[in-house]
Amino acid sequence: KNIKKLATKEYFTVSEVAYILGVTPLTLRNWDNGGKLRARRNPINNYRVYKRSDVEFFLRRMEQGANSGDIV
């Protein structure tokens, strides 16, 4: 993946967020369906997209959970 390109994006695809979080695209879809990390929908093609701020918030929650021993 091109990290510089990811650094400037406001919205990410499922595969990009999977790469960032180190999980599979299927895991992300399951998290979306379960409400753990909600995706938005592209208005043109209805694909899942993730807003940068949502991904950053989720990463902070993961880090806090890892530091406290809790599972996110």
Side-chain angles (χ1 to χ4, degrees), residues 15-52:
S15 61
E16 289 169 337
V17 176
Y19 173 79
I20 291 166
L21 298 180
V23 299
T24 66
L26 179 59
T27 296
L28 275 184
R29 291 183 190 99
N30 289 334
W31 287 352
D32 180 27
N33 292 334
K36 188 171 182 178
L37 177 58
R38 285 282 186 201
R40 299 160 192 256
R41 292 289 180 158
N42 181 312
I44 296 171
N45 58 22
N46 207 37
Y47 288 177
R48 286 177 171 93
V49 291
Y50 294 87
K51 192 170 182 178
R52 169 183 294 283

Side-chain angles (χ1 to χ4, degrees), residues 1-8 19-20:
K1 298 276 178 187
N2 185 341
I3 300 299
K4 288 182 181 181
K5 185 177 178 183
L6 289 178
T8 61
Y19 173 79
I20 291 166

Side-chain angles (χ1 to χ4, degrees), residues 21 23 27 31 34-38 54-72:
L21 298 180
V23 299
T27 296
W31 287 352
K36 188 171 182 178
L37 177 58
R38 285 282 186 201
D54 294 341
V55 174
E56 289 171 347
F57 179 75
F58 186 79
L59 276 169
R60 282 193 299 276
R61 277 186 32 219
M62 283 179 61
E63 289 172 356
Q64 290 169 353
N67 291 336
S68 68
D70 293 339
I71 297 175
V72 178

